[in-house]
């Protein structure tokens, strides 16, 4: 009995992947342990796995022995398949009677273009199902010992995408909330966005962090301030994929790790 068979036996109502259907599934941030059982069910039953660049190889290794893996990754600034072509590929595979698992890093509906693919499938009548995943914006913080929310510190968390920084976006509104900001796909525009947030009134000494390759063996964490974050990340050669978090919750990491936090305390 395989590990999947053992888990399936313990879970009532294991979903059946029907031919001609598409499952839009989240693979989580990297660690295979953060897959949901339904995502694992999809991997075990799929005929074709259409996967993003950020899906960990250890996750892909869980696909069934007869499943075909198709790469459909999109990486900023690099040649990649267009979103329209990916969506149409899902339609074509489903109409050919395949069980199609569209596997995305994190959650398919959190900056993952899953909504666009779902709308394409819905428009042409291809049956589909959405399987949520653990989004990197939360998993990265937890993996870095930074609580996303903490009573007495924050009452909200803001998720924002950092790509397309040249577009008309009101960073001032985010800065004025005083709540932690978690940024996806931001490394190439980090300096510009940090400047915009400071110009909007967010303090230069606001704690900030970069978490690269979260939950994988390559994970790295950089703790800095909003003013210095971009320069520090550049100096230490932090590269995507990475999550950036800005706010007082970053200071909690030292406490959770039992480090000296005296420098982080406010003067009397």
């Amino acid at each position: 009995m395989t590990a999947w068979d053992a888990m399936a036996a313990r879970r009532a109502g294991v979903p059946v992947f029907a031919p001609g259907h598409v499952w839009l599934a989240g693979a989580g941030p990297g660690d295979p342990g953060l897959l949901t059982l339904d995502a694992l069910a999809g991997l075990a039953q799929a005929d074709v796995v259409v996967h993003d660049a950020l899906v960990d190889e250890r996750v892909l290794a869980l696909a069934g022995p007869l499943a075909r893996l198709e790469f459909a990754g999109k990486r900023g600034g690099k040649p990649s398949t267009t979103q329209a072509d990916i969506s149409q590929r899902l339609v074509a595979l489903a109409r050919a009677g395949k069980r199609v698992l569209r596997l995305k890093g994190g959650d398919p509906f959190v900056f993952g273009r899953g909504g666009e693919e779902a709308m394409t499938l819905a428009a042409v009548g291809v049956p589909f199902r959405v399987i949520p995943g653990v989004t990197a914006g939360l998993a990265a913080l937890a993996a870095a010992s930074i609580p996303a929310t903490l009573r007495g510190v924050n009452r909200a968390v803001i998720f924002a995408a950092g790509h397309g920084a040249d577009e008309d976006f009101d960073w001032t509104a985010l800065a004025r909330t005083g709540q932690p900001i978690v940024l996806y796909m931001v490394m190439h525009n980090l300096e510009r966005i940090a400047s915009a947030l400071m110009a909007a009134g967010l303090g230069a000494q606001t704690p900030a962090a970069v978490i690269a390759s979260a939950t994988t063996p390559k994970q790295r964490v950089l703790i800095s301030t909003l003013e210095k974050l971009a320069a520090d990340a550049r100096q230490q050669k932090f590269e995507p994929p990475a999550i950036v978090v800005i706010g007082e919750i970053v200071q909690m990491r030292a406490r959770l790790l039992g480090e000296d936090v005296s420098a982080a305390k406010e003067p009397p």
Side-chain angles (χ1 to χ4, degrees), residues 110-183:
V110 180
F111 302 122
R113 300 179 187 249
E116 297 173 49
E117 293 170 2
M119 286 189 287
T120 296
L121 297 170
V124 298
V126 171
F128 68 92
R129 179 175 181 220
V130 179
I131 300 175
V134 178
T135 184
L138 293 176
L141 269 61
S145 299
I146 299 172
T149 64
L150 190 65
R151 189 160 55 97
V153 177
N154 63 308
R155 300 182 65 179
V157 181
I158 299 168
F159 287 171
H163 72 317
D166 292 329
E167 300 174 3
D168 184 19
F169 187 82
D170 189 5
W171 293 102
T172 301
L174 271 59
R176 287 177 176 170
T177 67
Q179 301 299 312
I181 302 170
V182 177
L183 296 169

Coordinates of all heavy atoms in Angstrom, one line a residue, residues 110-183:
V110 N -4.5 33.4 -5.3 CA -3.8 34.5 -4.7 C -2.6 34.9 -5.5 O -1.6 34.2 -5.5 CB -3.3 34.2 -3.2 CG1 -2.6 35.3 -2.6 CG2 -4.5 33.8 -2.4
F111 N -2.8 35.9 -6.4 CA -1.7 36.3 -7.3 C -1.2 35.2 -8.2 O 0.0 35.1 -8.5 CB -0.6 37.0 -6.6 CG -1.0 38.2 -5.8 CD1 -0.8 38.3 -4.4 CD2 -1.7 39.3 -6.4 CE1 -1.2 39.4 -3.7 CE2 -2.1 40.4 -5.7 CZ -1.8 40.4 -4.3
G112 N -2.1 34.2 -8.5 CA -1.7 33.0 -9.2 C -2.3 32.9 -10.6 O -2.1 31.9 -11.3
R113 N -3.1 33.9 -11.0 CA -3.8 33.9 -12.3 C -4.9 32.7 -12.4 O -5.4 32.4 -13.5 CB -2.9 33.8 -13.5 CG -1.9 35.0 -13.5 CD -0.9 34.8 -14.7 NE 0.1 35.8 -14.6 CZ 0.2 36.8 -15.5 NH1 -0.7 36.9 -16.5 NH2 1.2 37.7 -15.4
G114 N -5.1 32.1 -11.3 CA -6.1 31.0 -11.3 C -7.5 31.5 -11.7 O -8.3 30.8 -12.3
G115 N -7.8 32.7 -11.3 CA -9.1 33.3 -11.6 C -9.3 33.4 -13.1 O -10.4 33.2 -13.7
E116 N -8.3 33.9 -13.8 CA -8.3 34.0 -15.2 C -8.5 32.7 -15.9 O -9.3 32.5 -16.9 CB -7.0 34.6 -15.8 CG -6.8 36.1 -15.3 CD -5.4 36.6 -15.7 OE1 -5.1 36.4 -16.9 OE2 -4.7 37.1 -14.8
E117 N -7.8 31.6 -15.4 CA -8.0 30.3 -16.0 C -9.4 29.7 -15.7 O -10.0 29.1 -16.6 CB -6.9 29.4 -15.5 CG -5.5 29.8 -16.0 CD -4.4 29.1 -15.3 OE1 -4.6 28.3 -14.5 OE2 -3.2 29.5 -15.6
A118 N -9.9 30.0 -14.5 CA -11.2 29.5 -14.2 C -12.3 30.1 -15.1 O -13.2 29.5 -15.5 CB -11.5 29.8 -12.7
M119 N -12.1 31.4 -15.3 CA -13.1 32.1 -16.2 C -13.0 31.6 -17.6 O -14.1 31.5 -18.3 CB -12.8 33.6 -16.2 CG -13.3 34.3 -14.9 SD -13.2 36.1 -14.9 CE -11.4 36.4 -14.8
T120 N -11.9 31.3 -18.1 CA -11.8 30.7 -19.5 C -12.5 29.3 -19.5 O -13.2 29.1 -20.5 CB -10.3 30.5 -19.9 OG1 -9.7 31.8 -19.9 CG2 -10.2 29.8 -21.2
L121 N -12.2 28.5 -18.5 CA -12.8 27.2 -18.5 C -14.4 27.3 -18.4 O -15.1 26.6 -19.0 CB -12.3 26.4 -17.3 CG -10.8 26.0 -17.4 CD1 -10.3 25.5 -16.0 CD2 -10.5 25.1 -18.5
A122 N -14.8 28.2 -17.5 CA -16.3 28.4 -17.3 C -16.9 28.9 -18.6 O -18.0 28.5 -19.0 CB -16.5 29.4 -16.2
A123 N -16.2 29.7 -19.4 CA -16.8 30.3 -20.6 C -17.0 29.3 -21.7 O -18.0 29.5 -22.5 CB -15.9 31.4 -21.1
V124 N -16.2 28.2 -21.7 CA -16.4 27.2 -22.7 C -17.0 25.9 -22.2 O -17.1 25.0 -23.0 CB -15.0 26.9 -23.4 CG1 -14.5 28.2 -24.1 CG2 -14.0 26.4 -22.4
G125 N -17.4 25.9 -21.0 CA -18.1 24.8 -20.4 C -17.3 23.6 -20.0 O -17.8 22.5 -19.9
V126 N -16.0 23.8 -19.8 CA -15.1 22.8 -19.3 C -15.3 22.6 -17.8 O -15.1 23.6 -17.0 CB -13.6 23.0 -19.6 CG1 -12.7 22.0 -18.9 CG2 -13.4 22.9 -21.1
P127 N -15.7 21.5 -17.3 CA -15.8 21.3 -15.8 C -14.5 21.5 -15.1 O -13.5 21.0 -15.5 CB -16.3 19.9 -15.6 CG -16.8 19.4 -17.0 CD -15.9 20.2 -18.0
F128 N -14.5 22.2 -14.0 CA -13.3 22.5 -13.2 C -13.6 22.5 -11.7 O -14.8 22.7 -11.3 CB -12.6 23.8 -13.7 CG -13.4 25.0 -13.3 CD1 -13.1 25.7 -12.1 CD2 -14.3 25.5 -14.2 CE1 -13.8 26.9 -11.8 CE2 -15.0 26.7 -13.9 CZ -14.8 27.3 -12.7
R129 N -12.6 22.4 -11.0 CA -12.7 22.4 -9.5 C -11.5 23.2 -9.0 O -10.4 23.1 -9.6 CB -12.6 21.0 -8.9 CG -12.7 21.0 -7.4 CD -12.8 19.6 -6.9 NE -12.9 19.6 -5.4 CZ -12.3 18.8 -4.6 NH1 -11.5 17.8 -5.1 NH2 -12.4 18.9 -3.3
V130 N -11.6 24.0 -8.0 CA -10.5 24.8 -7.4 C -10.1 24.2 -6.1 O -11.0 23.9 -5.2 CB -10.9 26.3 -7.2 CG1 -9.8 27.0 -6.5 CG2 -11.3 26.9 -8.5
I131 N -8.9 23.9 -5.9 CA -8.3 23.3 -4.7 C -7.4 24.3 -4.1 O -6.3 24.6 -4.6 CB -7.6 22.0 -5.0 CG1 -8.5 20.9 -5.6 CG2 -7.0 21.4 -3.7 CD1 -7.8 19.7 -6.0
P132 N -7.8 24.9 -3.0 CA -7.0 26.0 -2.3 C -5.6 25.4 -1.9 O -5.5 24.2 -1.7 CB -7.8 26.4 -1.1 CG -9.2 26.0 -1.4 CD -9.1 24.7 -2.2
G133 N -4.7 26.3 -1.8 CA -3.3 25.9 -1.3 C -2.9 26.9 -0.3 O -3.5 28.0 -0.1
V134 N -1.8 26.5 0.4 CA -1.2 27.4 1.4 C -0.5 28.5 0.7 O 0.5 28.3 0.0 CB -0.3 26.7 2.4 CG1 0.3 27.6 3.4 CG2 -1.0 25.5 3.1
T135 N -0.9 29.8 0.8 CA -0.3 30.9 0.1 C 1.0 31.2 0.7 O 1.2 31.2 1.9 CB -1.2 32.1 0.1 OG1 -0.6 33.1 -0.8 CG2 -1.5 32.6 1.4
A136 N 2.0 31.6 -0.1 CA 3.3 31.9 0.3 C 3.4 33.1 1.3 O 4.2 33.1 2.1 CB 4.2 32.2 -0.9
G137 N 2.4 34.0 1.1 CA 2.4 35.2 2.0 C 2.2 34.8 3.4 O 2.7 35.6 4.3
L138 N 1.5 33.8 3.7 CA 1.4 33.4 5.1 C 2.4 32.3 5.5 O 3.0 32.4 6.6 CB 0.0 32.8 5.3 CG -1.2 33.8 5.2 CD1 -2.5 33.1 5.3 CD2 -1.1 34.9 6.3
A139 N 2.7 31.4 4.6 CA 3.6 30.3 4.9 C 5.0 30.9 5.1 O 5.8 30.4 6.0 CB 3.6 29.3 3.8
A140 N 5.4 31.8 4.3 CA 6.8 32.4 4.5 C 7.0 33.1 5.8 O 8.0 32.9 6.5 CB 7.1 33.4 3.4
L141 N 5.9 33.8 6.3 CA 6.0 34.4 7.6 C 6.2 33.4 8.7 O 7.0 33.5 9.6 CB 4.8 35.3 7.8 CG 5.0 36.8 7.4 CD1 5.2 36.9 5.9 CD2 3.7 37.6 7.8
A142 N 5.3 32.4 8.6 CA 5.4 31.3 9.7 C 6.7 30.6 9.7 O 7.3 30.3 10.7 CB 4.2 30.3 9.4
A143 N 7.2 30.3 8.5 CA 8.5 29.6 8.4 C 9.7 30.5 8.9 O 10.7 30.0 9.4 CB 8.8 29.2 6.9
A144 N 9.5 31.8 8.9 CA 10.5 32.7 9.4 C 10.3 33.2 10.8 O 10.9 34.1 11.3 CB 10.6 34.0 8.5
S145 N 9.3 32.5 11.5 CA 9.0 32.8 12.9 C 8.5 34.3 13.0 O 8.8 34.9 14.0 CB 10.2 32.6 13.8 OG 10.6 31.2 13.7
I146 N 7.7 34.7 12.0 CA 7.0 36.0 12.1 C 5.5 35.8 12.1 O 5.0 35.3 11.1 CB 7.4 36.9 10.9 CG1 8.9 37.2 10.9 CG2 6.7 38.2 11.0 CD1 9.4 37.9 9.7
P147 N 4.8 36.0 13.2 CA 3.4 35.8 13.2 C 2.6 36.8 12.3 O 2.9 38.0 12.4 CB 3.0 36.0 14.7 CG 4.1 36.9 15.3 CD 5.3 36.6 14.5
A148 N 1.8 36.4 11.5 CA 1.0 37.3 10.6 C 0.1 38.2 11.4 O 0.0 39.4 11.0 CB 0.2 36.5 9.6
T149 N -0.4 37.7 12.4 CA -1.3 38.6 13.3 C -0.9 38.3 14.8 O -0.5 37.1 15.1 CB -2.8 38.3 13.1 OG1 -3.1 37.0 13.5 CG2 -3.2 38.5 11.7
L150 N -0.9 39.3 15.6 CA -0.7 39.1 17.0 C -1.5 40.1 17.8 O -1.5 41.3 17.5 CB 0.8 39.4 17.3 CG 1.3 39.0 18.7 CD1 1.2 37.5 18.9 CD2 2.8 39.4 18.9
R151 N -2.2 39.6 18.7 CA -3.1 40.5 19.5 C -2.3 41.6 20.2 O -1.3 41.4 20.7 CB -3.8 39.6 20.6 CG -4.9 40.4 21.3 CD -5.8 39.4 22.0 NE -5.1 38.4 22.9 CZ -5.0 38.6 24.2 NH1 -5.5 39.6 24.8 NH2 -4.4 37.7 24.9
G152 N -2.8 42.8 20.0 CA -2.1 44.0 20.5 C -1.1 44.6 19.6 O -0.5 45.7 19.9
V153 N -0.8 43.9 18.5 CA 0.2 44.5 17.5 C -0.5 44.9 16.2 O -0.3 46.0 15.7 CB 1.3 43.4 17.2 CG1 2.2 44.0 16.1 CG2 2.0 43.1 18.5
N154 N -1.3 44.0 15.6 CA -2.0 44.4 14.4 C -3.4 43.8 14.4 O -3.7 42.7 15.0 CB -1.2 44.0 13.2 CG -1.0 42.5 13.0 OD1 -0.6 41.8 14.0 ND2 -1.3 41.9 11.9
R155 N -4.3 44.4 13.6 CA -5.7 43.9 13.5 C -6.0 43.5 12.0 O -7.1 43.2 11.7 CB -6.7 45.0 13.9 CG -6.4 45.4 15.4 CD -7.4 46.4 15.9 NE -8.8 45.9 15.8 CZ -9.8 46.6 16.2 NH1 -9.7 47.9 16.6 NH2 -11.1 46.1 16.2
A156 N -5.0 43.6 11.1 CA -5.2 43.3 9.7 C -3.9 43.0 9.1 O -2.8 43.3 9.7 CB -5.9 44.4 9.0
V157 N -3.9 42.3 8.0 CA -2.7 42.1 7.2 C -3.1 42.4 5.7 O -4.1 42.0 5.2 CB -2.2 40.6 7.2 CG1 -1.0 40.4 6.4 CG2 -2.0 40.2 8.7
I158 N -2.2 43.1 5.1 CA -2.4 43.6 3.7 C -1.5 42.7 2.8 O -0.3 42.7 2.9 CB -2.1 45.1 3.5 CG1 -3.1 45.9 4.4 CG2 -2.3 45.5 2.0 CD1 -2.6 47.3 4.5
F159 N -2.2 42.1 1.7 CA -1.4 41.4 0.7 C -1.4 42.3 -0.5 O -2.5 42.8 -0.9 CB -2.1 40.1 0.3 CG -1.9 39.0 1.3 CD1 -2.6 37.8 1.2 CD2 -1.1 39.2 2.4 CE1 -2.5 36.8 2.1 CE2 -0.9 38.1 3.4 CZ -1.6 37.0 3.2
A160 N -0.2 42.5 -1.2 CA -0.1 43.3 -2.4 C 0.9 42.7 -3.3 O 1.9 42.1 -2.8 CB 0.2 44.8 -2.0
A161 N 0.7 42.9 -4.6 CA 1.7 42.5 -5.6 C 2.7 43.6 -5.9 O 2.2 44.8 -6.1 CB 1.0 42.0 -6.8
G162 N 3.9 43.3 -5.9 CA 4.9 44.4 -6.2 C 5.3 44.6 -7.6 O 5.9 45.5 -8.0
H163 N 4.9 43.6 -8.5 CA 5.2 43.8 -9.9 C 4.2 44.8 -10.5 O 3.2 45.1 -10.0 CB 5.1 42.5 -10.7 CG 3.7 42.0 -10.9 ND1 2.8 42.0 -9.9 CD2 3.2 41.4 -12.0 CE1 1.7 41.4 -10.3 NE2 1.9 41.1 -11.6
G164 N 4.6 45.4 -11.6 CA 3.8 46.5 -12.2 C 3.8 47.8 -11.4 O 2.8 48.5 -11.3
A165 N 5.0 48.0 -10.7 CA 5.0 49.2 -9.9 C 4.9 50.5 -10.6 O 4.7 51.6 -10.0 CB 6.4 49.2 -9.1
D166 N 5.1 50.5 -12.0 CA 5.0 51.7 -12.8 C 3.5 52.1 -13.0 O 3.2 53.1 -13.4 CB 5.6 51.5 -14.1 CG 7.2 51.4 -14.0 OD1 7.7 52.1 -13.0 OD2 7.8 50.8 -14.8
E167 N 2.6 51.1 -12.7 CA 1.2 51.4 -12.9 C 0.7 52.3 -11.8 O 1.3 52.5 -10.7 CB 0.4 50.0 -12.9 CG 0.9 49.1 -14.0 CD 0.2 47.7 -13.9 OE1 -0.6 47.5 -13.0 OE2 0.6 46.8 -14.7
D168 N -0.5 52.8 -12.0 CA -1.1 53.7 -11.1 C -1.7 52.9 -9.9 O -2.7 52.3 -10.0 CB -2.3 54.5 -11.8 CG -2.9 55.5 -10.9 OD1 -2.2 55.9 -9.9 OD2 -4.0 55.9 -11.1
F169 N -0.9 52.9 -8.8 CA -1.4 52.2 -7.6 C -1.1 53.1 -6.4 O -0.1 53.8 -6.3 CB -0.6 50.9 -7.4 CG -1.1 50.1 -6.3 CD1 -2.2 49.3 -6.4 CD2 -0.5 50.1 -5.0 CE1 -2.7 48.5 -5.4 CE2 -0.9 49.3 -4.0 CZ -2.1 48.5 -4.2
D170 N -2.1 53.2 -5.5 CA -2.0 54.1 -4.4 C -1.4 53.5 -3.2 O -2.0 52.9 -2.3 CB -3.5 54.5 -4.0 CG -3.5 55.7 -3.0 OD1 -2.4 56.2 -2.6 OD2 -4.6 56.1 -2.5
W171 N 0.0 53.5 -3.1 CA 0.7 53.0 -2.0 C 0.5 53.8 -0.7 O 0.6 53.3 0.4 CB 2.2 52.9 -2.3 CG 2.5 52.0 -3.4 CD1 2.8 52.2 -4.7 CD2 2.6 50.5 -3.2 NE1 3.0 51.0 -5.4 CE2 2.9 50.0 -4.5 CE3 2.4 49.7 -2.2 CZ2 3.0 48.6 -4.7 CZ3 2.5 48.3 -2.4 CH2 2.8 47.8 -3.7
T172 N 0.1 55.1 -0.9 CA -0.2 55.9 0.2 C -1.3 55.3 1.1 O -1.3 55.4 2.3 CB -0.6 57.3 -0.3 OG1 0.4 57.9 -1.0 CG2 -1.0 58.2 0.9
A173 N -2.4 54.8 0.4 CA -3.5 54.2 1.2 C -3.1 53.1 2.0 O -3.5 52.9 3.2 CB -4.6 53.8 0.2
L174 N -2.1 52.3 1.5 CA -1.6 51.1 2.3 C -0.8 51.6 3.5 O -0.9 51.1 4.6 CB -0.8 50.2 1.4 CG -1.6 49.1 0.7 CD1 -2.6 49.6 -0.2 CD2 -0.6 48.2 -0.1
A175 N 0.0 52.6 3.2 CA 0.9 53.1 4.3 C 0.1 53.7 5.4 O 0.5 53.5 6.6 CB 1.9 54.1 3.7
R176 N -1.0 54.3 5.1 CA -1.8 55.0 6.2 C -2.5 54.0 7.1 O -2.9 54.4 8.2 CB -2.7 56.0 5.5 CG -2.1 57.2 4.9 CD -3.1 58.1 4.2 NE -2.4 59.3 3.8 CZ -3.0 60.2 3.0 NH1 -4.3 60.0 2.5 NH2 -2.4 61.3 2.6
T177 N -2.7 52.8 6.7 CA -3.4 51.9 7.5 C -2.6 51.5 8.8 O -3.2 51.2 9.8 CB -3.7 50.6 6.8 OG1 -2.4 49.9 6.5 CG2 -4.4 50.8 5.5
G178 N -1.3 51.6 8.8 CA -0.5 51.2 9.9 C -0.5 49.7 10.2 O 0.0 49.3 11.2
Q179 N -1.0 49.0 9.2 CA -1.0 47.5 9.3 C 0.1 46.9 8.5 O 0.6 47.5 7.6 CB -2.4 47.0 8.9 CG -3.5 47.5 9.6 CD -3.5 47.2 11.1 OE1 -3.3 46.0 11.5 NE2 -3.7 48.2 12.0
P180 N 0.6 45.7 8.9 CA 1.6 45.0 8.1 C 1.3 44.8 6.7 O 0.1 44.5 6.3 CB 1.8 43.7 8.8 CG 1.2 43.9 10.2 CD 0.1 44.9 10.0
I181 N 2.3 45.0 5.8 CA 2.1 44.8 4.4 C 3.0 43.6 3.9 O 4.2 43.6 4.2 CB 2.5 46.1 3.6 CG1 1.7 47.3 4.1 CG2 2.3 45.9 2.1 CD1 2.2 48.6 3.6
V182 N 2.3 42.7 3.3 CA 3.1 41.5 2.7 C 3.1 41.6 1.2 O 2.0 41.7 0.6 CB 2.4 40.2 3.2 CG1 3.1 39.0 2.5 CG2 2.4 40.1 4.7
L183 N 4.3 41.6 0.7 CA 4.4 41.9 -0.8 C 4.9 40.7 -1.5 O 5.9 40.0 -1.1 CB 5.4 43.0 -1.0 CG 5.0 44.4 -0.4 CD1 6.2 45.4 -0.5 CD2 3.9 45.0 -1.2

